[in-house]
Amino acid sequence: MEIIKKSKEVILSVLPIVLIATVLGFIFGAFDTVSFLLFIFSSLSLVIGLTFFLFGVDMAFLPVGNQLGAKLTEKKSVPLLLISGLVLGVLVTIAEPDIRVLAGQVSKINSSIDSTAFVMVVALGVGIFMAISYIRALSGISMKIFMAIFIFLMIALSLFLPEFFTSISFDAGGATTGPLAVPFILALGVGVSSVHGNREEDSFGFTGIASIGPVLAVMIYSLFLGKGNGEVLVETSSESLFEIFITVLKSVSSSLLPIAILSLISIFFIFKLPKIRTIKIIVGLFYSFFGIVLFLFAVESAFMPVARTLGGLIASSNPALLVVLGFILGAVVVLAEPAIWVLTEEVEDKSQGKVKKSVMLTSMALGVATAVSLSMVRIITGVHILFFIVPIYSLILILLPFVPPLFAGIAFDSGGVATGPMSSTFLLPLVSGASFIVAQDPGSMAFGMIGLIAAMPILAIEIMGVIFGIKIKKEKGEEI
């Protein structure tokens, strides 16, 4: 049964983090009986909620995205594809759970950021760059040239921003391409590729380009907020569980409603699907709604507070442990992410088995583990995030000319894949809790980790692509 398969994937993703958090919680005294039971309850709720949400996405949003992509392709209208990319990019990002979790943490720590405004800015960035990604594919512009231009622009713009805004900008790019946005991005991307002639290298890269939009959008947004970092707030909450649930329910209702209405209009007036398929999609919408409410309630009520408390306790005990713990957690998170396994299997298939899944998994695990460790080092030392971001993206740019075109697109797509729900709901609050204990500028140091996690897989897959290209030239004299 599909929902059982989905639940196994979610458990594989969540269970290692829960076990590590439980052990650390008892070692460092983070739990009493009540808080431990609440954490276990929230973990179960998170698994159930995420399972139903992803199951609902597969039942409702994925078929709607595919159908929309097919219908728009039939029209062969470039303006229609671009407008659709813009509108859908905005709507799916507004409903994306990961970005709402990030927005909530940003607004709680910094008084100058409104969470709703932050989500809308990110959504607009995704929509605009979804349309731009389709323009690139239709115009035949090289993915390498395109990404090089915008990476340079991101780095250049970040030089004029306070560190806090640079950090949350890169985090926004990593968190935005989640399980709801990606199906729509890819479905329309397939349509654009078919219009252009189905070039293999144009089948990838749409997600990677779309994730640039939020980075630039938040950077531009921050320019209108002034030069300061805003008032740094210590995160405290006096809300009861019932109040948290009502807040989540209202938030999900308003965020999921636009894309749900679009889906209903599509199935009744555009697709004219059989009755059975229509009912299945409607049921999927309810699954998604129920799932995301339960997921966000679990996250807000206990999962993130426990992570934040653990970060503070470990930092108070021995800050050096954060670096080791960061490496372990980074590897666990990426290896437990189902989307990573899908990507590695896809690359192994595209490379005719020459790029082994096991080698790629190891490379990505080391990359993400290093990224989380670097985030912990940054908290302890107070080093500016640009001293990490600039070298990583510089290496990405240096390697770009040597990466086969197919792998260039896959590499930039991989950044969004690596930043799953556990990055936003556990690792980010863990870093936040630690930063308020040891960092001189906790508001800035609390963010930036997701941006680093998103960057490292790009570099890892680029290296794999270069190695693969060398093998092809040596063995057969072929190029992808």
Side-chain angles (χ1 to χ4, degrees):
M1 194 174 178
E2 189 62 31
I3 195 168
I4 295 176
K5 178 183 176 183
K6 195 65 65 178
S7 66
K8 288 179 180 178
E9 292 178 354
V10 174
I11 291 170
L12 177 66
S13 176
V14 175
L15 185 60
I17 297 296
V18 172
L19 292 176
I20 291 173
T22 299
V23 172
L24 292 174
F26 281 112
I27 290 174
F28 290 97
F31 293 131
D32 55 28
T33 302
V34 174
S35 62
F36 176 66
L37 291 175
L38 184 59
F39 175 67
I40 295 301
F41 171 75
S42 73
S43 299
L44 291 172
S45 299
L46 189 149
V47 168
I48 295 169
L50 194 55
T51 297
F52 273 94
F53 173 70
L54 295 175
F55 184 59
V57 167
D58 285 352
M59 281 183 66
F61 293 111
L62 187 57
V64 168
N66 288 333
Q67 288 281 343
L68 277 175
K71 285 288 183 183
L72 292 168
T73 302
E74 289 175 7
K75 300 292 184 182
K76 299 291 183 181
S77 171
V78 174
L80 183 60
L81 279 169
L82 299 182
I83 293 171
S84 300
L86 175 62
V87 173
L88 286 171
V90 171
L91 294 182
V92 297
T93 305
I94 289 172
E96 188 64 62
D98 285 0
I99 202 64
R100 300 196 75 83
V101 171
L102 175 64
Q105 293 182 79
V106 169
S107 64
K108 286 178 182 177
I109 286 183
N110 192 289
S111 63
S112 67
I113 304 290
D114 176 76
S115 62
T116 302
F118 184 84
V119 170
M120 293 306 299
V121 167
V122 171
L124 188 60
V126 173
I128 291 172
F129 270 74
M130 272 183 68
I132 289 175
S133 70
Y134 303 149
I135 292 173
R136 183 209 66 81
L138 292 167
S139 63
I141 298 174
S142 166
M143 169 68 72
K144 298 178 183 181
I145 294 173
F146 194 89
M147 295 303 295
I149 291 171
F150 282 106
I151 287 174
F152 180 80
L153 183 60
M154 285 191 304
I155 293 175
L157 194 55
S158 68
L159 298 176
F160 300 94
L161 300 177
E163 186 175 8
F164 172 78
F165 290 113
T166 299
S167 299
I168 64 171
S169 296
F170 283 102
D171 278 355
T176 193
T177 47
L180 187 56
V182 170
F184 284 90
I185 295 173
L186 294 181
L188 288 181
V190 169
V192 172
S193 296
S194 66
V195 171
H196 193 259
N198 281 313
R199 295 191 313 171
E200 192 178 42
E201 60 265 34
D202 286 337
S203 300
F204 300 95
F206 294 104
T207 303
I209 293 174
S211 66
I212 290 177
V215 180
L216 292 175
V218 174
M219 285 181 173
I220 294 170
Y221 169 64
S222 68
L223 294 175
F224 293 93
L225 295 176
K227 295 183 178 180
N229 280 347
E231 180 187 355
V232 176
L233 307 173
V234 177
E235 290 192 72
T236 57
S237 176
S238 58
E239 287 185 309
S240 67
L241 292 179
F242 178 75
E243 289 172 328
I244 292 173
F245 179 77
I246 295 300
T247 301
V248 167
L249 188 64
K250 290 179 180 178
S251 175
V252 172
S253 298
S254 62
S255 63
L256 207 58
L257 185 62
I259 191 65
I261 290 174
L262 176 64
S263 298
L264 291 173
I265 291 173
S266 299
I267 62 176
F268 283 115
F269 300 106
I270 300 176
F271 304 152
K272 298 178 182 179
L273 301 174
K275 188 176 180 180
I276 296 296
R277 290 191 65 190
T278 300
I279 293 174
K280 185 176 180 181
I281 289 175
I282 293 173
V283 172
L285 292 175
F286 281 103
Y287 277 145
S288 294
F289 178 80
F290 168 75
I292 194 174
V293 168
L294 192 57
F295 170 77
L296 290 176
F297 173 69
V299 165
E300 293 287 346
S301 61
F303 207 74
M304 286 200 303
V306 165
R308 199 173 296 118
T309 300
L310 273 177
L313 289 172
I314 295 169
S316 300
S317 173
N318 186 349
L321 288 176
L322 291 170
V323 180
V324 178
L325 179 63
F327 190 88
I328 295 170
L329 288 173
V332 167
V333 164
V334 73
L335 289 175
E337 178 59 50
I340 291 289
W341 291 80
V342 173
L343 177 69
T344 54
E345 288 173 1
E346 184 177 19
V347 173
E348 186 175 59
D349 178 64
K350 291 289 184 182
S351 64
Q352 293 85 47
K354 288 186 170 59
V355 179
K356 298 297 182 184
K357 182 172 70 173
S358 58
V359 176
M360 190 170 169
L361 279 170
T362 302
S363 299
M364 293 188 71
L366 288 173
V368 174
T370 301
V372 181
S373 283
L374 289 176
S375 297
M376 300 302 188
V377 171
R378 177 171 164 249
I379 291 172
I380 297 169
T381 61
V383 175
H384 198 289
I385 190 172
L386 289 182
F387 285 96
F388 299 101
I389 287 289
V390 172
I392 292 172
Y393 277 105
S394 296
L395 286 173
I396 289 171
L397 289 175
I398 290 169
L399 286 176
L400 259 182
F402 308 100
V403 179
L406 175 62
F407 277 84
I410 294 172
F412 287 107
D413 280 350
S414 69
V417 171
T419 51
M422 290 300 97
S423 297
S424 299
T425 60
F426 188 82
L427 293 183
L428 189 58
L430 183 80
V431 170
S432 172
S435 69
F436 275 90
I437 298 299
V438 298
Q440 294 183 347
D441 181 9
S444 297
M445 296 297 161
F447 300 96
M449 180 200 65
I450 294 178
L452 289 174
I453 290 176
M456 291 302 291
I458 301 175
L459 186 59
I461 294 185
E462 276 193 339
I463 293 170
M464 300 296 293
V466 170
I467 294 171
F468 177 72
I470 293 171
K471 281 186 176 181
I472 288 294
K473 288 180 180 179
K474 282 184 177 180
E475 293 176 9
K476 296 183 179 180
E478 298 175 358
E479 292 185 33
I480 324 179

